[in-house]
Amino acid sequence: MKNLTHVVMVLFGATLYGTMSSFVKLSYAQGYNAAEISFAQAALAALLLGICTLVTREKYKERLTRKLLFSLLLTGSSIGLTNFLYYESVHYISASLSIIILMQFTWFSLLLEWILFKKRPSAVELFTVVLILIGTVIAGNIFSPEERSFSIKGAVLALLSSLTYASYIVANGRIDTGARWQSKSTLIMIGSACTIFLINCKTILAGNHFDSEFLLWAVFFAVIGTTIPTALFAASIPKIGAGVSSILMTVELPVAIICASLVLKESIGPLQVVGIVIMLGAIAAMNYYKSLKSENQKG
């Protein structure tokens, strides 16, 4: 029963993540842009998580080294870039296509570990990569003459967000830290907000949208898109394991596409559903194989 609770918490966190692209695209109708939205989301999330860190500081004692501090801020810069590039991509392509391209982080992470740490992918992992790519082409409906939302710029932005997301996952998985999740998440969000601001300072400072309506949007994205999922994942992933959690978090893909269909009225055809199922099956299989491999190595 306890494990079931943690499973539901991970699923709920991933579901919240999955809704973000549709609501970001909806906010663009109010004249907002990716730079403003992603910066406000990261900055407010850092503030909320920082308050949580301060409130609980007396219960837990920890010591953050300068090296760990720098590592967490740098890791935050990669997730900051991911959010900005991903949000920017939905300016040019559909929200459903953006999430499909973002999911390429699964094989990008394998590629990065191969290049940086000489961890060569197994035959099983390479086979699942092929399935993911096949599912992506089918689900994306890219070569269909009826696909009018395709834009090379939008696809490149989404692909870059996939690469930075893979960088975030690889870096986050290799930070050996005894830091509390509150402190770790706060520093990552500070790094995220600083990076987004540095590359978009002119756009952010020149913006005239910092009013009460924008604040409502910013709070929504910060709470629903960052703070709550971060807390849920931090509390549950250690309980059920990274392997199971990775499989559960694939729910983000169908949720994002269903949300895009309901909120943005984006059409999803039967062939696209087949492609999505192929992608989900391949991603789940890859994560399951990786978790078994990790357990065998520990054993």
Side-chain angles (χ1 to χ4, degrees):
M1 186 66 184
K2 188 176 180 180
N3 278 347
L4 179 61
T5 301
H6 292 298
V7 165
V8 172
M9 288 169 70
V10 171
L11 284 173
F12 184 55
T15 298
L16 293 180
Y17 267 148
T19 64
M20 286 298 98
S21 59
S22 292
F23 287 106
V24 165
K25 194 155 189 171
L26 206 61
S27 74
Y28 290 161
Q30 307 298 318
Y32 307 132
N33 57 59
E36 295 170 331
I37 291 294
S38 57
F39 171 69
Q41 177 179 349
L44 282 175
L47 177 63
L48 293 171
L49 290 165
I51 292 171
C52 183
T53 301
L54 290 173
V55 168
T56 58
R57 73 184 186 282
E58 293 182 358
K59 295 181 180 180
Y60 305 94
K61 292 184 178 181
E62 59 183 339
R63 185 177 179 182
L64 298 174
T65 64
R66 188 174 299 178
K67 181 181 177 181
L68 177 57
L69 182 68
F70 178 75
S71 297
L72 290 172
L73 292 174
L74 194 61
T75 301
S77 70
S78 60
I79 195 63
L81 283 171
T82 298
N83 285 338
F84 169 66
L85 292 168
Y86 180 50
Y87 290 173
E88 185 72 11
S89 72
V90 299
H91 257 310
Y92 304 96
I93 57 178
S94 64
S96 54
L97 181 56
S98 288
I99 187 65
I100 287 169
I101 297 176
L102 178 68
M103 297 304 285
Q104 307 311 302
F105 76 84
T106 51
W107 61 266
F108 265 137
S109 61
L110 290 178
L111 183 62
L112 287 175
E113 290 193 331
W114 189 4
I115 294 172
L116 298 175
F117 307 109
K118 311 302 180 186
K119 286 185 64 176
R120 187 170 181 172
S122 66
V124 174
E125 289 171 324
L126 290 174
F127 178 68
T128 57
V129 167
V130 172
L131 288 179
I132 290 170
L133 292 173
I134 292 172
T136 299
V137 172
I138 297 173
N141 205 28
I142 296 170
F143 301 112
S144 171
E146 298 177 359
E147 180 55 61
R148 298 178 181 178
S149 65
F150 182 74
S151 158
I152 293 177
K153 183 175 182 179
V156 169
L157 286 167
L159 199 61
L160 287 173
S161 72
S162 177
L163 177 59
T164 55
Y165 193 29
S167 302
Y168 166 74
I169 291 170
V170 171
N172 204 18
R174 288 183 172 267
I175 295 177
D176 185 14
T177 172
R180 297 182 294 134
W181 71 264
Q182 296 95 329
S183 304
K184 182 179 178 182
S185 301
T186 300
L187 289 168
I188 286 174
M189 282 300 106
I190 290 173
S192 175
C194 289
T195 300
I196 296 169
F197 183 79
L198 286 174
I199 63 176
N200 295 289
C201 55
K202 289 184 178 179
T203 302
I204 294 170
L205 293 174
N208 58 354
H209 298 131
F210 294 98
D211 51 20
S212 58
E213 186 176 351
F214 176 78
L215 182 61
L216 289 175
W217 277 106
V219 169
F220 171 75
F221 290 126
V223 174
I224 304 299
T226 303
T227 308
I228 293 177
T230 297
L232 291 173
F233 293 156
S236 301
I237 290 176
K239 301 294 184 181
I240 60 177
V244 175
S245 299
S246 297
I247 295 170
L248 295 172
M249 288 166 70
T250 59
V251 76
E252 181 181 346
L253 174 59
V255 166
I257 291 174
I258 291 169
C259 191
S261 178
L262 294 175
V263 176
L264 303 175
K265 308 303 179 186
E266 293 181 4
S267 59
I268 305 295
L271 194 60
Q272 289 171 285
V273 173
V274 171
I276 292 165
V277 170
I278 292 173
M279 285 184 67
L280 285 174
I283 293 169
M286 179 187 287
N287 288 324
Y288 179 70
Y289 173 78
K290 287 171 72 175
S291 65
L292 284 180
K293 188 177 176 181
S294 178
E295 287 177 8
N296 290 334
Q297 288 175 345
K298 289 178 181 178

